[in-house]
Amino acid sequence: CAPVWAIDLAGLSNADAAGGLKEALTQGAGRAVELLGSNGGFMNNPKVKIPLPGVLEQAAPLLRMTGRGKDMDQLVATMNGAAEAAVPEAKALLMDAVKSMTVQDAKAILTGGDDSVTRYFRSKTEAALTKRFLPIVTRHTDSLAVSTQYNQLAGQAASVGLVKGEDARIEGYVTRKALDGLYLMIAEEEQAIRQNPMGAAGSLAKKVFGAL
């Protein structure tokens, strides 16, 4: 059966439904970029902190025993710092995705479940943001010798199926994780407005989310 809020939404005009969601997503996306793009935005947030890639995570105890712990810690700090530096590049594209949203897009998000916001932004921005993030992330990770070592080892491991192709290079891994974190935080900001419509900045968002 249809979600309970779908019945309430039927009483809203299409323009109000779309306008209210646009207000909420503009607010949520802006807030997510602000939080994640600040110093410690990834590193200090357990929900989005970027861990060592799986192959290094598994080897970390042995590497620490052999005196490589400092290298591992520096890599984690650099990866998260790279994500924090890249995220501000997302704001304009995220806002464009909101502006281009159709009434059908809005209704699908409002009635589409917890991952509907993430799915919408991925479909509209993931490819373009990957291109924007990669050079910024690469500038950060290229400064570490351990990044080069990882790329060499992971590239060999990926060729025989031991490492996912998307994780064969550290800059690709960090970019993917940065986008995951960004979309997660936008969705959480939107969920917060669903739960507390009075926290919405715009009057239309208050009206729409008050009906959910």
Side-chain angles (χ1 to χ4, degrees):
C1 62
V4 172
W5 60 76
I7 299 170
D8 296 323
L9 281 174
L12 295 171
S13 72
N14 287 340
D16 279 358
L21 182 61
K22 286 183 178 184
E23 284 183 358
L25 291 182
T26 296
Q27 178 180 337
R31 178 68 176 152
V33 169
E34 179 184 348
L35 289 171
L36 294 177
S38 63
N39 185 32
F42 275 83
M43 190 72 173
N44 298 334
N45 184 342
K47 292 180 180 179
V48 297
K49 181 179 178 180
I50 302 174
L52 292 169
V55 65
L56 276 185
E57 189 72 62
Q58 294 164 15
L62 178 60
L63 290 169
R64 291 186 184 280
M65 287 175 60
T66 58
R68 298 295 301 277
K70 185 177 180 180
D71 287 341
M72 298 302 100
D73 294 341
Q74 189 176 16
L75 179 58
V76 170
T78 297
M79 290 191 303
N80 284 275
E84 292 156 13
V87 158
E89 286 290 310
K91 189 169 183 178
L93 281 173
L94 294 172
M95 296 307 167
D96 286 346
V98 174
K99 290 176 184 176
S100 67
M101 182 180 293
T102 66
V103 169
Q104 289 74 22
D105 290 331
K107 288 291 183 86
I109 291 173
L110 288 168
T111 61
D114 290 344
D115 67 340
S116 59
V117 169
T118 296
R119 283 188 282 109
Y120 176 77
F121 277 112
R122 280 196 187 280
S123 70
K124 299 295 183 181
T125 67
E126 188 169 30
L129 286 181
T130 296
K131 290 181 180 178
R132 288 200 181 190
F133 280 21
L134 266 173
I136 298 171
V137 171
T138 301
R139 283 200 299 272
H140 284 72
T141 56
D142 272 0
S143 65
L144 293 183
V146 70
S147 297
T148 302
Q149 293 167 0
Y150 172 83
N151 286 345
Q152 291 172 347
L153 292 172
Q156 294 169 4
S159 68
V160 293
L162 296 177
V163 171
K164 294 179 181 178
E166 60 194 7
D167 293 343
R169 296 191 61 83
I170 199 75
E171 60 269 24
Y173 168 76
V174 174
T175 295
R176 181 168 61 84
K177 288 293 188 180
L179 288 172
D180 287 348
L182 176 60
Y183 296 135
L184 172 66
M185 291 305 294
I186 294 173
E188 287 201 350
E189 291 292 327
E190 187 256 4
Q191 283 293 316
I193 294 173
R194 285 189 190 233
Q195 293 164 13
N196 177 25
M198 295 311 294
S203 57
L204 264 181
K206 286 184 173 71
K207 178 179 179 181
V208 171
F209 284 88
L212 296 184

